[in-house]
Amino acid sequence: MKFLLLQVCLLSICCHCFAQLPAPNYDENSIPPYTLPDPLLSKNGKKITSVKQWETGQRPYIRQLFEEHVYGKIPGKIKGQHFKLTETDSNALGGKAIRKQVNIYFTGSESGPYMKLILYLPKTGKKVPVFAGLNFKGNQTIDTDDGIAMARYWKNASTDIANADDSRGIRMERWPLEKIIGRGYGLATAHYYELEPDHKDGWKEGIRTTLKDALGIAADEWTAIGAWSWGLSRIQDYLETDTRIDASKTILIGHSRLGKTALWAGANDTRFAKVIANESGEGGAALSRRWYGETIAHLNTNFPHWFNGKYKTYNNNAAALPVDQHMLLALIAPRPLYVASAQEDQWADPRGEYLSAKHALPVYLLYKLPVTGLETMPGINQPVGKTVRYHIRDGKHDVTAYDWEQFLNFADETK
Ligand code: GCU
């Protein structure tokens, strides 16, 4: 009898597990039908037909829905925030670039929380647009130069390197500095851990705790993705003060979880002129209602700190969400948007990322912007679309030279 009870118990625990975390689906033919919410249908069931209605009513309403159901709140900056230039190297990258390192102090005090920003600029007399994004493993990983200040969290949860110096330059391929500089752009990046370490207890050390009083917001009112997004806006605050930079043209870029972050930052902070979300997947560009690859339940189980409490109620029930991710993409309108996928990154649901971009187009059309090219999903390595661009390249989940080539072309062509 006892044995039987134990078996029943184990079975129900297991069923519970499965109910919480179904195996990912990778079969197009097994996707149950779904209906996407219409970004242009107001809360009262009225069709939005003008930019004015969109900007004054519908856009703020949809942004608010994402805040409430998905990503949590986003506070403003703190009075007293200031910047300290800690290094200028006028001969970086073998003389091709200027490198600056700046501490962004989030409060009036230097003993308070801060973030280390690294900036590369071409040596031109003109103000340049900058690509801005967070990095995964520290600023020292984007180039081998030992003048780059070491990240405070160089040994983070996703870094299996034994000593700090071994991490120098390990992510150079993801940040092709010479190419970016050569094309006339700058690059600004900071380590996302400096805002909040990326694990379920990271909030205790991160700005959701250390800036709780200064920002007047409790840790559980926002999320890790919110904290990282907030940091992107603080980078833009700095860029606006640098006379060598055209900060009205900042191109926000993020990969994977940091692609989700870039989209949320771009939705909240319209100072970002263009947004690139590379392989941002579930909770990023990919449609949640499409049951393919990662699901909301996977996200919430593996990364409970990324999204808010309410989002957990949509585990295995995406249909109940008042939004889907095409509406997040629509919040970027009318600004140019690039959604990028990789063929071997099925976990991120490339087709769901493409469809999301396509279903954001009605909002771009309100602005009468050219949006052709996304009618059908393109083949491998064929970027399509004008204001909203999409590609699926061959290969795995990563940021490659191919991706950067397309992002630079996009930046040039959407000036
Ligand atoms: C995991 C996670 C994804 C995320 C990715 C990343 O694979 O499930 O949602 O985008 O990590 O950030 O690398």
Side-chain angles (χ1 to χ4, degrees), residues 188-245:
T189 184
H191 186 207
Y192 79 137
Y193 262 61
E194 298 202 332
L195 295 147
E196 175 166 328
D198 187 6
H199 54 81
K200 74 174 177 27
D201 294 320
W203 64 273
K204 294 179 187 163
E205 277 175 79
I207 58 166
R208 282 197 283 152
T209 293
T210 56
L211 292 178
K212 186 161 87 56
D213 295 334
L215 288 169
I217 173 173
D220 64 357
E221 287 183 83
W222 54 328
T223 58
I225 287 185
W228 301 328
S229 300
W230 184 86
L232 286 168
S233 289
R234 306 295 67 86
I235 292 178
Q236 174 67 7
D237 294 343
Y238 169 76
L239 299 179
E240 288 179 346
T241 67
D242 192 313
T243 53
R244 288 179 171 273
I245 293 172

Side-chain angles (χ1 to χ4, degrees), residues 136 174 192 198 255-260 278-283 294 298-299 302-303 306-307 345 347-348 397:
F136 277 88
R174 284 199 180 173
Y192 79 137
D198 187 6
H255 168 62
S256 212
R257 68 199 68 185
L258 297 178
K260 306 183 209 302
N278 193 63
E279 299 156 30
S280 58
E282 189 73 18
E294 187 171 29
H298 291 117
L299 275 178
N302 297 327
F303 310 100
W306 287 3
F307 298 89
D345 185 18
W347 179 239
H397 185 66

Side-chain angles (χ1 to χ4, degrees), residues 68-369:
E68 200 181 310
H69 298 268
V70 187
Y71 303 104
K73 289 188 178 158
I74 284 277
K77 69 175 175 197
I78 295 162
K79 212 167 150 242
Q81 167 172 285
H82 61 288
F83 313 108
K84 186 168 164 184
L85 188 66
T86 57
E87 189 224 24
T88 306
D89 179 351
S90 314
N91 275 307
L93 294 184
K96 296 192 186 79
I98 299 164
R99 181 180 70 220
K100 294 186 183 183
Q101 298 188 73
V102 178
N103 286 350
I104 301 179
Y105 292 102
F106 301 134
T107 67
S109 152
E110 284 191 16
S111 58
Y114 72 102
M115 174 170 69
K116 291 181 196 168
L117 180 73
I118 187 163
L119 183 66
Y120 282 86
L121 294 170
K123 287 185 172 176
T124 58
K126 296 187 299 194
K127 283 174 176 257
V128 295
V130 164
F131 283 86
L134 297 171
N135 65 69
F136 277 88
K137 298 189 179 214
N139 296 350
Q140 81 285 356
T141 64
I142 74 164
D143 189 56
T144 49
D145 193 319
D146 60 15
I148 301 177
M150 186 59 64
R152 278 171 289 162
Y153 292 92
W154 65 269
K155 198 174 176 58
N156 64 39
S158 60
T159 307
D160 45 17
I161 33 184
N163 71 68
D165 273 337
D166 288 350
S167 67
R168 291 197 178 278
I170 59 168
R171 277 295 164 82
M172 283 173 76
E173 278 172 16
R174 284 199 180 173
W175 302 98
L177 291 167
E178 293 201 16
K179 186 164 198 149
I180 297 168
I181 297 296
R183 294 277 294 258
Y185 293 89
L187 175 80
T189 184
H191 186 207
Y192 79 137
Y193 262 61
E194 298 202 332
L195 295 147
E196 175 166 328
D198 187 6
H199 54 81
K200 74 174 177 27
D201 294 320
W203 64 273
K204 294 179 187 163
E205 277 175 79
I207 58 166
R208 282 197 283 152
T209 293
T210 56
L211 292 178
K212 186 161 87 56
D213 295 334
L215 288 169
I217 173 173
D220 64 357
E221 287 183 83
W222 54 328
T223 58
I225 287 185
W228 301 328
S229 300
W230 184 86
L232 286 168
S233 289
R234 306 295 67 86
I235 292 178
Q236 174 67 7
D237 294 343
Y238 169 76
L239 299 179
E240 288 179 346
T241 67
D242 192 313
T243 53
R244 288 179 171 273
I245 293 172
D246 183 352
S248 69
K249 297 209 170 107
T250 305
I251 308 141
L252 194 52
I253 182 165
H255 168 62
S256 212
R257 68 199 68 185
L258 297 178
K260 306 183 209 302
T261 301
L263 289 171
W264 182 230
N268 283 291
D269 192 338
T270 53
R271 293 176 301 166
F272 294 115
K274 303 173 190 180
V275 181
I276 300 170
N278 193 63
E279 299 156 30
S280 58
E282 189 73 18
L287 293 175
S288 301
R289 279 170 176 72
R290 229 182 86 88
W291 182 48
Y292 192 99
E294 187 171 29
T295 61
I296 295 177
H298 291 117
L299 275 178
N300 284 331
T301 307
N302 297 327
F303 310 100
H305 53 296
W306 287 3
F307 298 89
N308 72 2
K310 186 83 188 241
Y311 196 56
K312 315 278 186 288
T313 66
Y314 302 106
N315 284 353
N316 310 315
N317 192 15
L321 258 172
V323 289
D324 208 315
Q325 299 303 111
H326 63 304
M327 293 160 85
L328 179 69
L329 302 188
L331 294 178
I332 308 300
R335 296 162 291 160
L337 166 70
Y338 204 132
V339 173
S341 311
Q343 191 187 15
E344 290 171 34
D345 185 18
Q346 292 296 315
W347 179 239
D349 185 13
R351 190 169 171 77
E353 295 180 317
Y354 154 73
L355 286 171
S356 187
K358 178 178 169 165
H359 290 297
L361 297 183
V363 177
Y364 280 83
L365 276 170
L366 275 186
Y367 288 88
K368 307 203 177 357
L369 287 163

Side-chain angles (χ1 to χ4, degrees), residues 378-395:
I380 306 300
N381 302 336
Q382 290 168 32
V384 288
K386 293 226 178 327
T387 317
V388 178
R389 193 164 292 184
Y390 174 82
H391 78 235
I392 173 166
R393 65 153 168 78
D394 61 319

